[in-house]
Amino acid sequence: MAEDGAVTLYNNSAITDAKKNPFSIKAGLAQMLRGGTIFEVTSVQQAKIAEEAGACSIIVSEPGLRQGIRRMPDPSLIKEIKRAVSIPLMARARVGHFVEAQILEAIGVDYIDESELLALADEDNFINKHNFRCPFICGCRNLGEALRRVREGAAMIRTQGELLGQGNVAETVKNVRNVMKEVRVLNNMDEDEVFAFAKKIAAPYDLVAQVKQMGRLPVVQFAAGGIVTPADAALMMQLGL
């Protein structure tokens, strides 16, 4: 390990800067959140309540609905909350806005959510998440979308269900079932069929083959959108998350 705390790289050709963590480290950090609950907070007081309630992590959002374009949270709010709690902290950046991600990493967030709930900064390109030390979270609605985000460097996948931030749990359930169904279909395929399936869902073949071997996504998966009660959380877990 270098003197500045950076992790020395192993055999990962996608990452060339020795100051950046390899994907295995990022995925390992995400594993720490498996089976836990992530609370969304908008103030220091809410963050403290979430920590006392047993949240494994918190995600910081702007208080109320911001008029116009929705961007990353105020860095000063993130710093205040980070000083007040000891659990991991997440914050959202706009899809494709790598400078917002650079700011969030610089102020010390533990995870960055490249979120479709915010305004799009780039309609065609997601952030190259291999260029960051911080683990990234990305949303998906199906298996192909999930694996494309993993190829870009996402260490955690969020099965999305929110429509414009309204929290539609029915949409979340539909997308969770869709991902799980595609994984089951893949598990029952012959090896010769995997190539065609990877092409059909527009996902990298090596990741598709890995999903077939593991029987699940190669990174931690959780769900978000309208999950507000313990029963909602239990529903997601019994659906396979």
Side-chain angles (χ1 to χ4, degrees), residues 126-140:
F126 280 73
I127 297 171
N128 181 359
K129 291 160 274 289
H130 291 294
N131 289 335
F132 293 81
R133 293 186 301 274
C134 187
F136 270 75
I137 305 160
C138 286
C140 80

Side-chain angles (χ1 to χ4, degrees), residues 27-228:
L29 290 172
Q31 291 289 337
M32 297 169 57
L33 306 183
R34 184 181 292 277
T37 302
I38 301 168
F39 283 55
E40 185 169 359
V41 302
T42 60
S43 67
V44 173
Q45 183 181 8
Q46 289 181 3
K48 291 180 178 179
I49 293 173
E51 183 177 31
E52 293 173 359
C56 70
S57 179
I58 54 174
I59 184 165
V60 180
S61 295
E62 286 284 346
L65 292 177
R66 175 184 286 178
Q67 297 297 321
I69 297 176
R70 298 187 66 188
R71 302 180 177 87
M72 59 173 275
D74 186 346
S76 63
L77 174 62
I78 295 173
K79 290 180 179 180
E80 289 179 11
I81 293 176
K82 185 173 177 63
R83 286 193 294 265
V85 298
S86 58
I87 56 179
L89 186 146
M90 302 178 179
R92 295 188 178 106
R94 283 181 280 174
V95 171
H97 204 311
F98 55 86
V99 175
E100 283 190 348
Q102 290 170 353
I103 294 171
L104 292 175
E105 184 173 70
I107 62 178
V109 301
D110 299 290
Y111 302 86
I112 299 173
D113 186 349
E114 188 176 10
S115 178
E116 68 284 344
L117 290 182
L118 307 183
L120 294 179
D122 191 327
E123 295 182 354
D124 299 318
N125 302 290
F126 280 73
I127 297 171
N128 181 359
K129 291 160 274 289
H130 291 294
N131 289 335
F132 293 81
R133 293 186 301 274
C134 187
F136 270 75
I137 305 160
C138 286
C140 80
R141 291 163 294 183
N142 53 60
L143 181 60
E145 198 170 7
L147 296 182
R148 290 194 294 274
R149 301 291 84 81
V150 173
R151 170 58 74 223
E152 294 163 357
M156 189 185 304
I157 291 296
R158 166 178 41 78
T159 306
Q160 66 194 56
E162 295 174 316
L163 299 174
L164 300 177
Q166 296 174 356
N168 187 346
V169 70
E171 189 73 13
T172 305
V173 170
K174 182 183 77 172
N175 291 336
V176 169
R177 287 188 179 276
N178 189 32
V179 173
M180 295 303 176
K181 179 182 70 175
E182 290 181 305
V183 171
R184 289 194 298 270
V185 168
L186 175 59
N187 289 342
N188 292 322
M189 283 184 177
D190 293 333
E191 294 294 337
D192 294 341
E193 299 175 313
V194 176
F195 290 98
F197 183 75
K199 183 177 180 180
K200 178 181 177 182
I201 65 173
Y205 169 77
D206 59 328
L207 290 179
V208 174
Q210 188 175 357
V211 171
K212 176 174 172 57
Q213 181 183 20
M214 300 176 67
R216 60 173 176 80
L217 290 182
V219 298
V220 173
Q221 179 185 4
F222 73 102
I227 303 170
V228 295

